[in-house]
Coordinates of all heavy atoms in Angstrom, one line a residue:
M221 N -10.7 7.5 -7.2 CA -9.9 6.6 -8.1 C -9.4 5.4 -7.3 O -8.8 5.6 -6.2 CB -8.8 7.4 -8.7 CG -9.2 8.5 -9.6 SD -7.8 9.5 -10.2 CE -7.1 8.4 -11.4
L222 N -9.5 4.3 -8.0 CA -9.0 3.0 -7.3 C -7.7 2.6 -7.9 O -7.5 2.7 -9.1 CB -10.0 1.9 -7.5 CG -11.3 2.0 -6.8 CD1 -12.3 0.9 -7.2 CD2 -11.1 1.9 -5.3
F223 N -6.8 2.2 -7.0 CA -5.5 1.7 -7.5 C -5.2 0.4 -6.7 O -5.4 0.3 -5.5 CB -4.4 2.7 -7.1 CG -4.5 4.0 -7.8 CD1 -5.2 5.1 -7.3 CD2 -3.8 4.2 -9.0 CE1 -5.3 6.3 -8.0 CE2 -3.9 5.4 -9.7 CZ -4.6 6.4 -9.2
A224 N -4.6 -0.6 -7.4 CA -4.0 -1.7 -6.8 C -2.6 -1.4 -6.7 O -1.9 -1.0 -7.6 CB -4.3 -3.0 -7.6
V225 N -2.0 -1.7 -5.5 CA -0.6 -1.4 -5.2 C 0.0 -2.6 -4.6 O -0.4 -3.1 -3.6 CB -0.5 -0.2 -4.3 CG1 1.0 0.1 -4.0 CG2 -1.1 1.1 -4.9
R226 N 1.1 -3.1 -5.2 CA 1.9 -4.1 -4.6 C 3.1 -3.5 -4.0 O 3.9 -2.8 -4.7 CB 2.3 -5.2 -5.7 CG 3.1 -6.3 -5.1 CD 3.5 -7.4 -6.1 NE 4.5 -8.2 -5.5 CZ 4.4 -9.5 -5.2 NH1 3.2 -10.1 -5.5 NH2 5.3 -10.2 -4.6
M227 N 3.4 -3.9 -2.8 CA 4.6 -3.4 -2.1 C 5.4 -4.6 -1.7 O 5.0 -5.5 -1.0 CB 4.2 -2.6 -0.8 CG 3.2 -1.5 -1.0 SD 2.7 -0.7 0.5 CE 1.2 0.0 0.0
D228 N 6.7 -4.6 -2.2 CA 7.6 -5.6 -1.8 C 8.6 -5.0 -0.9 O 9.3 -4.0 -1.2 CB 8.4 -6.2 -3.0 CG 7.4 -6.8 -4.0 OD1 6.6 -7.7 -3.6 OD2 7.5 -6.5 -5.2
V229 N 8.7 -5.5 0.3 CA 9.6 -4.9 1.4 C 10.9 -5.7 1.5 O 11.0 -6.9 1.4 CB 8.8 -5.0 2.8 CG1 9.6 -4.3 3.8 CG2 7.4 -4.5 2.7
D230 N 12.0 -4.9 1.6 CA 13.3 -5.4 1.7 C 14.1 -4.6 2.7 O 14.8 -3.7 2.3 CB 14.0 -5.5 0.3 CG 15.3 -6.2 0.4 OD1 15.6 -6.9 1.4 OD2 16.1 -6.0 -0.6
I231 N 13.9 -4.9 4.0 CA 14.7 -4.1 5.0 C 16.0 -4.7 5.1 O 16.2 -6.0 5.3 CB 13.9 -4.2 6.4 CG1 12.5 -3.7 6.2 CG2 14.7 -3.4 7.4 CD1 11.6 -3.8 7.5
P232 N 17.1 -3.9 5.1 CA 18.5 -4.5 5.2 C 18.6 -5.3 6.5 O 18.2 -4.9 7.5 CB 19.3 -3.2 5.2 CG 18.5 -2.1 4.7 CD 17.1 -2.5 5.0
R233 N 19.3 -6.4 6.3 CA 19.4 -7.3 7.5 C 20.3 -6.7 8.6 O 20.2 -7.0 9.8 CB 20.1 -8.6 7.0 CG 19.2 -9.5 6.2 CD 19.8 -10.8 5.9 NE 19.0 -11.6 5.0 CZ 17.9 -12.3 5.4 NH1 17.5 -12.3 6.6 NH2 17.2 -12.9 4.5
D234 N 21.1 -5.7 8.2 CA 22.0 -5.1 9.2 C 21.4 -3.9 9.9 O 22.1 -3.2 10.6 CB 23.4 -4.8 8.6 CG 23.3 -3.8 7.5 OD1 22.2 -3.5 7.1 OD2 24.4 -3.4 6.9
L235 N 20.2 -3.6 9.6 CA 19.5 -2.5 10.3 C 19.4 -2.8 11.8 O 19.0 -3.9 12.1 CB 18.1 -2.2 9.6 CG 17.5 -0.8 10.0 CD1 18.3 0.3 9.3 CD2 16.0 -0.8 9.6
A236 N 19.7 -1.8 12.6 CA 19.6 -2.1 14.1 C 18.2 -2.5 14.4 O 17.2 -2.0 13.9 CB 19.9 -0.8 14.8
P237 N 18.1 -3.5 15.3 CA 16.7 -4.1 15.7 C 15.8 -3.0 16.1 O 14.6 -3.0 15.8 CB 17.1 -5.1 16.8 CG 18.5 -5.5 16.5 CD 19.1 -4.3 15.9
D238 N 16.3 -2.0 16.9 CA 15.4 -0.9 17.4 C 14.8 -0.1 16.3 O 13.7 0.3 16.3 CB 16.1 0.0 18.4 CG 16.4 -0.6 19.7 OD1 15.9 -1.8 19.9 OD2 17.0 0.0 20.6
E239 N 15.7 0.2 15.3 CA 15.3 1.0 14.2 C 14.2 0.2 13.4 O 13.2 0.8 12.9 CB 16.5 1.3 13.3 CG 17.1 2.6 13.5 CD 18.1 2.9 12.4 OE1 17.8 3.2 11.3 OE2 19.3 2.8 12.8
R240 N 14.5 -1.1 13.2 CA 13.5 -1.9 12.5 C 12.2 -1.9 13.1 O 11.1 -1.7 12.5 CB 14.1 -3.4 12.4 CG 13.2 -4.3 11.5 CD 13.7 -5.7 11.7 NE 12.8 -6.6 11.0 CZ 13.0 -7.0 9.7 NH1 14.1 -6.7 9.1 NH2 12.1 -7.8 9.2
T241 N 12.2 -2.1 14.5 CA 10.9 -2.1 15.2 C 10.2 -0.8 15.1 O 9.0 -0.8 14.9 CB 11.2 -2.5 16.7 OG1 11.9 -3.7 16.8 CG2 9.9 -2.5 17.5
D242 N 11.0 0.3 15.2 CA 10.4 1.6 15.1 C 9.7 1.8 13.7 O 8.6 2.3 13.6 CB 11.4 2.7 15.3 CG 10.9 4.1 15.2 OD1 10.0 4.4 16.0 OD2 11.4 4.8 14.3
L243 N 10.4 1.4 12.7 CA 9.9 1.6 11.3 C 8.6 0.8 11.1 O 7.6 1.3 10.6 CB 10.9 1.0 10.3 CG 12.0 1.9 9.8 CD1 13.0 1.1 8.9 CD2 11.3 3.0 8.9
V244 N 8.6 -0.5 11.6 CA 7.5 -1.3 11.4 C 6.3 -0.9 12.2 O 5.1 -0.9 11.7 CB 7.8 -2.8 11.7 CG1 6.6 -3.7 11.7 CG2 8.9 -3.3 10.7
T245 N 6.5 -0.4 13.4 CA 5.5 0.2 14.3 C 4.9 1.4 13.6 O 3.6 1.6 13.6 CB 6.0 0.5 15.7 OG1 6.6 -0.7 16.2 CG2 5.0 1.1 16.6
R246 N 5.7 2.3 13.1 CA 5.2 3.5 12.5 C 4.4 3.2 11.2 O 3.4 3.8 10.8 CB 6.3 4.5 12.2 CG 6.8 5.2 13.5 CD 7.7 6.3 13.3 NE 9.0 6.0 12.7 CZ 9.4 6.4 11.5 NH1 8.7 7.1 10.7 NH2 10.6 6.0 11.1
E247 N 4.9 2.2 10.4 CA 4.2 1.8 9.2 C 2.8 1.3 9.5 O 1.9 1.6 8.9 CB 5.1 0.6 8.6 CG 4.5 0.1 7.3 CD 4.9 1.0 6.1 OE1 5.7 1.9 6.2 OE2 4.3 0.7 5.0
K248 N 2.7 0.5 10.6 CA 1.4 -0.1 11.0 C 0.4 1.1 11.3 O -0.7 1.1 10.9 CB 1.6 -1.0 12.1 CG 0.3 -1.7 12.5 CD 0.6 -2.8 13.6 CE -0.7 -3.5 14.0 NZ -0.4 -4.6 14.9
A249 N 0.9 2.0 12.1 CA 0.1 3.1 12.6 C -0.4 4.0 11.4 O -1.6 4.4 11.3 CB 0.8 4.0 13.6
Y250 N 0.6 4.3 10.5 CA 0.3 5.0 9.3 C -0.8 4.3 8.4 O -1.8 4.9 8.0 CB 1.6 5.2 8.5 CG 1.5 6.0 7.3 CD1 1.6 7.4 7.3 CD2 1.5 5.4 6.0 CE1 1.6 8.2 6.2 CE2 1.5 6.2 4.8 CZ 1.6 7.6 4.9 OH 1.6 8.4 3.8
C251 N -0.6 3.0 8.2 CA -1.5 2.2 7.4 C -2.9 2.2 8.1 O -3.9 2.4 7.4 CB -1.0 0.8 7.4 SG -2.1 -0.4 6.6
Q252 N -3.0 2.1 9.4 CA -4.3 2.0 10.1 C -5.0 3.3 10.1 O -6.2 3.3 10.0 CB -4.1 1.3 11.4 CG -3.7 -0.1 11.3 CD -3.6 -0.9 12.6 OE1 -3.4 -0.3 13.7 NE2 -3.7 -2.2 12.5
E253 N -4.3 4.4 10.2 CA -4.9 5.7 10.0 C -5.6 5.9 8.7 O -6.7 6.4 8.5 CB -3.9 6.9 10.3 CG -3.6 7.1 11.7 CD -4.9 7.3 12.6 OE1 -5.7 8.1 12.2 OE2 -5.0 6.6 13.6
L254 N -4.9 5.5 7.6 CA -5.4 5.6 6.3 C -6.6 4.6 6.0 O -7.5 4.9 5.2 CB -4.3 5.4 5.2 CG -3.3 6.6 5.2 CD1 -2.0 6.1 4.5 CD2 -3.9 7.7 4.4
Q255 N -6.6 3.5 6.7 CA -7.7 2.6 6.7 C -8.9 3.3 7.3 O -10.1 3.2 6.8 CB -7.4 1.3 7.4 CG -6.5 0.4 6.6 CD -6.2 -0.9 7.4 OE1 -7.1 -1.7 7.7 NE2 -4.9 -1.1 7.8
K256 N -8.7 3.9 8.4 CA -9.8 4.6 9.1 C -10.4 5.7 8.2 O -11.6 6.0 8.2 CB -9.4 5.2 10.5 CG -9.2 4.1 11.5 CD -8.6 4.7 12.8 CE -8.0 3.7 13.7 NZ -7.1 4.2 14.7
S257 N -9.5 6.4 7.5 CA -10.0 7.5 6.6 C -10.7 7.0 5.4 O -11.3 7.8 4.6 CB -8.8 8.4 6.2 OG -8.1 7.8 5.2
G258 N -10.5 5.7 5.1 CA -11.2 5.1 3.9 C -10.3 5.1 2.7 O -10.8 4.6 1.6
E259 N -9.1 5.6 2.8 CA -8.3 5.7 1.6 C -7.5 4.4 1.3 O -7.2 4.0 0.2 CB -7.3 6.8 1.7 CG -7.9 8.2 1.6 CD -7.0 9.3 1.8 OE1 -6.4 9.4 2.9 OE2 -6.8 10.1 0.9
W260 N -7.2 3.7 2.4 CA -6.5 2.4 2.2 C -7.6 1.3 2.5 O -7.9 0.9 3.6 CB -5.4 2.2 3.3 CG -4.3 1.2 2.9 CD1 -4.5 0.0 2.4 CD2 -2.9 1.3 3.2 NE1 -3.4 -0.7 2.3 CE2 -2.3 0.1 2.7 CE3 -2.1 2.3 3.7 CZ2 -1.0 -0.2 2.8 CZ3 -0.7 2.0 3.8 CH2 -0.2 0.8 3.3
V261 N -8.1 0.8 1.4 CA -9.4 0.0 1.4 C -9.1 -1.5 1.8 O -9.8 -2.1 2.5 CB -10.1 0.1 0.1 CG1 -11.4 -0.7 0.1 CG2 -10.4 1.5 -0.3
H262 N -8.0 -2.0 1.2 CA -7.6 -3.4 1.5 C -6.1 -3.5 1.7 O -5.4 -2.8 1.0 CB -8.0 -4.4 0.4 CG -9.5 -4.5 0.2 ND1 -10.3 -5.3 1.0 CD2 -10.3 -4.1 -0.8 CE1 -11.5 -5.3 0.6 NE2 -11.6 -4.5 -0.5
I263 N -5.7 -4.4 2.5 CA -4.3 -4.8 2.6 C -4.3 -6.3 2.8 O -4.9 -6.8 3.7 CB -3.5 -4.1 3.6 CG1 -2.0 -4.6 3.6 CG2 -4.1 -4.1 5.0 CD1 -1.0 -3.7 4.3
W264 N -3.6 -7.0 1.8 CA -3.5 -8.5 1.9 C -2.0 -8.8 1.9 O -1.2 -8.3 1.1 CB -4.2 -9.1 0.7 CG -5.7 -8.9 0.6 CD1 -6.3 -7.9 0.0 CD2 -6.7 -9.7 1.3 NE1 -7.7 -8.0 0.2 CE2 -7.9 -9.1 1.0 CE3 -6.6 -10.8 2.1 CZ2 -9.1 -9.6 1.5 CZ3 -7.8 -11.3 2.6 CH2 -9.0 -10.7 2.3
R265 N -1.7 -9.8 2.7 CA -0.3 -10.4 2.6 C -0.2 -11.3 1.4 O -1.1 -12.1 1.1 CB -0.1 -11.2 3.9 CG 1.3 -11.8 4.0 CD 2.4 -10.9 3.9 NE 2.7 -10.2 5.2 CZ 3.1 -8.9 5.2 NH1 3.4 -8.2 4.1 NH2 3.4 -8.3 6.4
C266 N 0.8 -11.2 0.7 CA 1.1 -12.1 -0.4 C 1.8 -13.3 0.2 O 2.9 -13.2 0.9 CB 2.1 -11.5 -1.5 SG 1.4 -10.0 -2.2
V267 N 1.2 -14.5 0.1 CA 1.6 -15.7 0.8 C 3.1 -16.0 0.6 O 3.5 -16.1 -0.6 CB 0.7 -16.9 0.4 CG1 1.2 -18.2 1.1 CG2 -0.8 -16.6 0.9
G268 N 3.8 -16.2 1.7 CA 5.2 -16.6 1.6 C 6.1 -15.5 1.2 O 7.3 -15.8 0.9
Q269 N 5.7 -14.3 1.2 CA 6.6 -13.2 0.8 C 6.4 -12.0 1.7 O 5.3 -11.8 2.3 CB 6.2 -12.7 -0.7 CG 6.3 -13.8 -1.7 CD 5.5 -13.4 -3.0 OE1 5.9 -12.4 -3.6 NE2 4.6 -14.2 -3.3
Y270 N 7.5 -11.2 1.9 CA 7.3 -10.0 2.6 C 6.8 -8.9 1.7 O 7.5 -8.0 1.3 CB 8.7 -9.6 3.3 CG 8.6 -8.5 4.4 CD1 7.4 -8.0 4.7 CD2 9.7 -8.1 5.0 CE1 7.3 -7.0 5.7 CE2 9.6 -7.1 6.0 CZ 8.4 -6.6 6.4 OH 8.3 -5.6 7.3
S271 N 5.6 -9.1 1.3 CA 4.9 -8.2 0.3 C 3.4 -8.1 0.7 O 2.9 -9.0 1.3 CB 5.0 -8.8 -1.1 OG 6.3 -9.1 -1.4
N272 N 2.9 -7.0 0.2 CA 1.4 -6.9 0.4 C 0.8 -6.4 -0.9 O 1.5 -5.8 -1.7 CB 1.0 -6.0 1.6 CG 1.2 -4.6 1.3 OD1 0.5 -3.9 0.5 ND2 2.3 -4.0 1.9
L273 N -0.5 -6.8 -1.1 CA -1.3 -6.3 -2.2 C -2.4 -5.4 -1.6 O -3.1 -5.9 -0.8 CB -1.8 -7.4 -3.0 CG -2.4 -7.1 -4.4 CD1 -1.4 -6.4 -5.2 CD2 -2.8 -8.4 -5.0
S274 N -2.4 -4.2 -1.9 CA -3.3 -3.2 -1.3 C -4.2 -2.6 -2.4 O -3.8 -2.5 -3.5 CB -2.6 -2.1 -0.5 OG -1.9 -2.7 0.6
V275 N -5.4 -2.1 -1.9 CA -6.2 -1.3 -2.8 C -6.5 0.0 -2.1 O -6.8 0.1 -0.9 CB -7.6 -2.0 -3.0 CG1 -8.5 -1.1 -3.8 CG2 -7.4 -3.3 -3.8
F276 N -6.2 1.1 -2.9 CA -6.4 2.5 -2.4 C -7.6 3.1 -3.1 O -7.7 2.9 -4.3 CB -5.2 3.3 -2.6 CG -4.0 2.9 -1.7 CD1 -3.2 1.9 -2.0 CD2 -3.8 3.6 -0.5 CE1 -2.1 1.5 -1.2 CE2 -2.8 3.2 0.4 CZ -1.9 2.2 0.0
D277 N -8.3 3.9 -2.4 CA -9.4 4.7 -3.0 C -9.1 6.2 -2.7 O -9.3 6.6 -1.6 CB -10.8 4.3 -2.5 CG -11.9 5.0 -3.2 OD1 -11.6 5.8 -4.1 OD2 -13.1 4.7 -2.8
V278 N -8.5 6.9 -3.6 CA -8.0 8.2 -3.4 C -8.5 9.2 -4.5 O -9.0 8.8 -5.5 CB -6.4 8.2 -3.4 CG1 -5.9 7.5 -2.2 CG2 -5.9 7.7 -4.7
A279 N -8.3 10.5 -4.2 CA -8.9 11.5 -5.1 C -8.2 11.5 -6.5 O -8.8 11.6 -7.5 CB -8.7 12.9 -4.5
D280 N -6.9 11.3 -6.5 CA -6.1 11.4 -7.8 C -4.7 10.8 -7.6 O -4.4 10.4 -6.5 CB -6.1 12.9 -8.3 CG -5.6 13.8 -7.2 OD1 -4.8 13.4 -6.3 OD2 -6.0 15.0 -7.2
N281 N -4.0 10.9 -8.7 CA -2.6 10.3 -8.7 C -1.7 11.0 -7.6 O -0.9 10.3 -7.0 CB -1.9 10.5 -10.1 CG -2.5 9.7 -11.2 OD1 -3.5 8.9 -10.9 ND2 -2.0 9.9 -12.4
E282 N -1.9 12.3 -7.5 CA -1.1 13.0 -6.5 C -1.3 12.5 -5.1 O -0.4 12.4 -4.3 CB -1.3 14.5 -6.7 CG -0.6 15.2 -7.9 CD -1.3 14.8 -9.2 OE1 -2.5 14.5 -9.2 OE2 -0.6 14.8 -10.2
A283 N -2.6 12.3 -4.8 CA -3.0 11.8 -3.4 C -2.3 10.5 -3.2 O -1.8 10.2 -2.1 CB -4.5 11.7 -3.3
L284 N -2.4 9.6 -4.2 CA -1.7 8.3 -4.0 C -0.2 8.4 -3.8 O 0.4 7.8 -3.0 CB -2.0 7.3 -5.1 CG -1.4 5.9 -5.0 CD1 -2.0 5.2 -3.8 CD2 -1.5 5.1 -6.2
H285 N 0.4 9.3 -4.6 CA 1.8 9.5 -4.6 C 2.2 10.0 -3.2 O 3.2 9.5 -2.6 CB 2.2 10.5 -5.6 CG 3.7 10.7 -5.7 ND1 4.6 9.8 -6.2 CD2 4.5 11.7 -5.2 CE1 5.8 10.2 -6.1 NE2 5.8 11.4 -5.5
R286 N 1.5 11.0 -2.6 CA 1.8 11.5 -1.3 C 1.7 10.4 -0.3 O 2.6 10.3 0.6 CB 0.8 12.6 -0.9 CG 1.2 14.0 -1.4 CD 0.4 15.1 -0.6 NE -1.1 14.9 -0.8 CZ -1.7 15.4 -1.9 NH1 -1.1 16.0 -2.9 NH2 -3.0 15.2 -2.0
I287 N 0.7 9.6 -0.4 CA 0.5 8.5 0.6 C 1.7 7.5 0.5 O 2.3 7.1 1.5 CB -0.8 7.7 0.4 CG1 -2.0 8.6 0.9 CG2 -0.8 6.3 1.1 CD1 -3.4 8.0 0.5
L288 N 2.0 7.1 -0.7 CA 3.1 6.1 -0.8 C 4.5 6.7 -0.4 O 5.3 6.1 0.3 CB 3.2 5.6 -2.3 CG 1.9 4.9 -2.8 CD1 2.1 4.5 -4.2 CD2 1.6 3.7 -1.9
W289 N 4.7 8.0 -0.8 CA 5.9 8.7 -0.4 C 6.1 8.8 1.1 O 7.2 8.8 1.6 CB 5.9 10.0 -1.1 CG 7.2 10.7 -1.1 CD1 7.7 11.7 -0.3 CD2 8.3 10.5 -2.1 NE1 9.0 12.1 -0.6 CE2 9.4 11.4 -1.7 CE3 8.5 9.7 -3.2 CZ2 10.5 11.4 -2.4 CZ3 9.6 9.7 -3.9 CH2 10.7 10.6 -3.5
G290 N 4.9 8.8 1.8 CA 4.9 9.0 3.2 C 5.1 7.7 4.0 O 5.2 7.7 5.3
L291 N 5.1 6.6 3.3 CA 5.2 5.3 4.0 C 6.5 5.3 4.8 O 7.6 5.4 4.1 CB 5.2 4.1 3.1 CG 3.8 3.8 2.4 CD1 4.0 2.9 1.2 CD2 2.9 3.1 3.4
P292 N 6.6 5.0 6.1 CA 7.8 4.9 6.8 C 8.8 3.9 6.1 O 10.0 4.0 6.1 CB 7.4 4.5 8.2 CG 6.1 5.1 8.4 CD 5.4 4.9 7.0
L293 N 8.2 2.8 5.6 CA 9.1 1.8 4.9 C 9.4 2.1 3.5 O 10.0 1.3 2.8 CB 8.4 0.4 5.0 CG 8.5 -0.3 6.4 CD1 7.6 -1.6 6.4 CD2 9.9 -0.6 6.8
F294 N 8.9 3.2 3.0 CA 9.1 3.6 1.6 C 10.5 3.4 1.1 O 10.8 2.8 0.0 CB 8.6 5.0 1.3 CG 8.7 5.4 -0.2 CD1 7.7 5.1 -1.1 CD2 9.8 6.1 -0.6 CE1 7.9 5.4 -2.4 CE2 9.9 6.5 -1.9 CZ 9.0 6.2 -2.8
P295 N 11.5 3.8 1.9 CA 12.9 3.6 1.4 C 13.3 2.2 1.2 O 14.3 1.9 0.5 CB 13.8 4.3 2.5 CG 12.9 5.1 3.2 CD 11.5 4.5 3.2
F296 N 12.6 1.3 1.8 CA 12.9 -0.1 1.7 C 11.9 -1.0 0.9 O 11.7 -2.2 1.1 CB 13.0 -0.7 3.1 CG 13.9 0.1 4.0 CD1 13.4 0.8 5.1 CD2 15.3 0.2 3.7 CE1 14.3 1.6 5.8 CE2 16.1 1.0 4.5 CZ 15.6 1.6 5.5
M297 N 11.2 -0.3 0.0 CA 10.1 -1.0 -0.8 C 10.3 -0.8 -2.3 O 10.8 0.2 -2.7 CB 8.8 -0.3 -0.5 CG 8.1 -0.7 0.8 SD 6.6 0.2 1.0 CE 5.9 -0.7 2.4
S298 N 9.9 -1.8 -3.0 CA 9.7 -1.7 -4.4 C 8.1 -1.6 -4.6 O 7.5 -2.5 -4.0 CB 10.2 -2.9 -5.2 OG 11.6 -3.0 -5.0
I299 N 7.6 -0.7 -5.3 CA 6.2 -0.5 -5.4 C 5.7 -0.5 -6.8 O 6.4 0.1 -7.7 CB 5.8 0.9 -4.8 CG1 6.2 0.9 -3.3 CG2 4.3 1.2 -4.9 CD1 5.9 2.2 -2.6
E300 N 4.7 -1.3 -7.1 CA 4.1 -1.3 -8.4 C 2.6 -0.9 -8.3 O 1.9 -1.4 -7.5 CB 4.1 -2.8 -8.9 CG 3.7 -2.9 -10.3 CD 3.7 -4.4 -10.8 OE1 4.8 -5.0 -10.7 OE2 2.7 -4.9 -11.1
V301 N 2.2 0.1 -9.1 CA 0.9 0.7 -9.0 C 0.1 0.4 -10.3 O 0.6 0.5 -11.4 CB 1.0 2.3 -8.9 CG1 -0.4 2.9 -9.0 CG2 1.7 2.6 -7.6
T302 N -1.1 -0.1 -10.1 CA -2.0 -0.4 -11.2 C -3.3 0.3 -11.1 O -4.1 0.1 -10.1 CB -2.3 -1.9 -11.3 OG1 -1.1 -2.7 -11.3 CG2 -3.1 -2.3 -12.5
P303 N -3.6 1.3 -11.9 CA -4.9 2.0 -11.8 C -6.0 1.0 -12.2 O -5.8 0.2 -13.2 CB -4.8 3.1 -12.9 CG -3.3 3.2 -13.2 CD -2.7 1.9 -13.0
L304 N -7.1 1.1 -11.5 CA -8.2 0.2 -11.8 C -9.4 0.9 -12.4 O -9.7 2.0 -12.1 CB -8.6 -0.5 -10.4 CG -7.5 -1.3 -9.7 CD1 -8.1 -1.7 -8.4 CD2 -7.1 -2.5 -10.5
A305 N -10.1 0.1 -13.3 CA -11.3 0.6 -13.9 C -12.4 -0.5 -13.7 O -12.0 -1.7 -13.5 CB -11.1 0.9 -15.4
Q306 N -13.6 -0.1 -13.8 CA -14.7 -1.1 -13.6 C -14.6 -2.1 -14.7 O -14.4 -1.8 -15.9 CB -16.0 -0.3 -13.7 CG -17.2 -1.1 -13.3 CD -18.5 -0.2 -13.4 OE1 -18.5 0.9 -13.0 NE2 -19.6 -0.8 -13.9
H307 N -14.9 -3.4 -14.3 CA -14.9 -4.4 -15.3 C -16.4 -4.6 -15.8 O -17.3 -4.6 -15.0 CB -14.4 -5.8 -14.7 CG -14.1 -6.8 -15.8 ND1 -15.1 -7.5 -16.4 CD2 -12.9 -7.2 -16.3 CE1 -14.5 -8.3 -17.3 NE2 -13.2 -8.1 -17.2
P308 N -16.6 -4.8 -17.1 CA -17.9 -4.9 -17.7 C -18.7 -6.1 -17.2 O -19.9 -6.2 -17.3 CB -17.7 -4.9 -19.2 CG -16.3 -5.2 -19.4 CD -15.5 -4.7 -18.2
S309 N -18.0 -7.1 -16.7 CA -18.6 -8.3 -16.2 C -19.0 -8.3 -14.7 O -19.4 -9.3 -14.2 CB -17.8 -9.6 -16.5 OG -17.5 -9.7 -17.9
D310 N -18.6 -7.2 -14.1 CA -18.8 -7.1 -12.6 C -20.3 -6.9 -12.3 O -20.8 -5.7 -12.5 CB -17.9 -6.0 -12.0 CG -18.0 -5.9 -10.5 OD1 -18.7 -6.8 -9.9 OD2 -17.4 -5.0 -10.0
L311 N -21.0 -7.9 -11.8 CA -22.4 -7.8 -11.4 C -22.6 -6.7 -10.3 O -23.5 -5.9 -10.3 CB -22.9 -9.1 -10.9 CG -23.2 -10.1 -12.0 CD1 -23.6 -11.5 -11.3 CD2 -24.4 -9.7 -12.9
A312 N -21.6 -6.7 -9.4 CA -21.8 -5.8 -8.2 C -21.7 -4.3 -8.7 O -22.3 -3.4 -8.0 CB -20.6 -6.1 -7.2
A313 N -21.0 -4.0 -9.7 CA -20.8 -2.6 -10.2 C -22.1 -2.1 -10.8 O -22.3 -0.8 -10.8 CB -19.7 -2.5 -11.1
G314 N -23.0 -2.9 -11.3 CA -24.2 -2.4 -11.8 C -24.2 -1.9 -13.2 O -24.4 -2.7 -14.2
G315 N -24.0 -0.6 -13.4 CA -24.2 0.1 -14.7 C -23.5 -0.5 -15.9 O -22.5 -1.2 -15.7
P316 N -23.9 -0.1 -17.1 CA -23.3 -0.6 -18.3 C -22.0 0.1 -18.6 O -21.9 1.3 -18.7 CB -24.3 -0.3 -19.4 CG -25.1 0.8 -18.9 CD -25.1 0.8 -17.4
V317 N -20.9 -0.7 -18.6 CA -19.6 -0.2 -19.0 C -19.1 -1.0 -20.2 O -19.3 -2.3 -20.2 CB -18.6 -0.3 -17.9 CG1 -17.2 0.1 -18.4 CG2 -19.0 0.5 -16.7
R318 N -18.6 -0.4 -21.2 CA -18.1 -1.2 -22.4 C -16.6 -1.2 -22.5 O -16.0 -0.4 -22.0 CB -18.8 -0.6 -23.6 CG -20.3 -0.7 -23.6 CD -21.0 -0.1 -24.8 NE -22.3 0.2 -24.4 CZ -23.3 -0.7 -24.3 NH1 -23.0 -2.0 -24.4 NH2 -24.5 -0.3 -24.0
Ligands
LIG425 O1 4.3 -5.6 6.0 C1 4.1 -5.0 4.9 O2 3.6 -5.6 3.9 C2 4.4 -3.5 4.8 C3 3.3 -2.8 5.3 C4 2.5 -1.9 4.7 C5 1.6 -1.3 5.6 C6 1.9 -2.1 6.8 O3 1.3 -2.0 7.9 O4 2.9 -2.9 6.6

């Protein structure tokens, strides 16, 4: 199942610099492991914002929930999830969808 996920990050300005660095480092490692496993398909920076737009390909809602819940930056994020379906005009998708 494909999901588009927008993550808006808001780390408190008074968080200790070491803690901030640790969080961001762990977030990057977590993200890159999931890219290697094929579950985190895309991550794009939203221009001019501390936000990303990502695409996940996961087994089900619970799998996505576990992944998002496990994000080191989860406590400092607002997350919007959009389930995706094939568009009938998508040439790349091939088959007939109505
Ligand atoms: O910087 C961000 O948008 C937050 C984030 C999610 C995965 C990652 O590596 O950073």
Side-chain angles (χ1 to χ4, degrees):
M221 296 173 71
L222 289 171
F223 294 90
V225 178
R226 180 181 167 115
M227 303 176 204
D228 298 311
V229 186
D230 186 14
I231 302 175
R233 290 186 185 279
D234 61 355
L235 194 71
D238 285 359
E239 260 186 78
R240 184 191 175 96
T241 301
D242 177 61
L243 272 173
V244 171
T245 302
R246 288 192 291 114
E247 181 82 10
K248 183 174 181 174
Y250 184 80
C251 173
Q252 291 184 337
E253 280 308 309
L254 288 161
Q255 288 178 62
K256 287 177 198 161
S257 78
E259 290 176 297
W260 198 322
V261 182
H262 292 285
I263 179 167
W264 295 95
R265 178 62 77 213
C266 300
V267 173
Q269 300 163 62
Y270 193 0
S271 305
N272 74 73
L273 194 56
S274 291
V275 174
F276 290 84
D277 187 359
V278 293
D280 50 30
N281 291 359
E282 283 71 26
L284 181 65
H285 184 75
R286 272 195 303 277
I287 286 172
L288 298 179
W289 195 261
L291 289 163
L293 284 175
F294 182 82
F296 309 113
M297 283 178 169
S298 303
I299 297 177
E300 185 182 301
V301 175
T302 306
L304 299 175
Q306 189 177 322
H307 194 287
S309 301
D310 184 4
L311 283 174
V317 174
R318 295 176 203 291

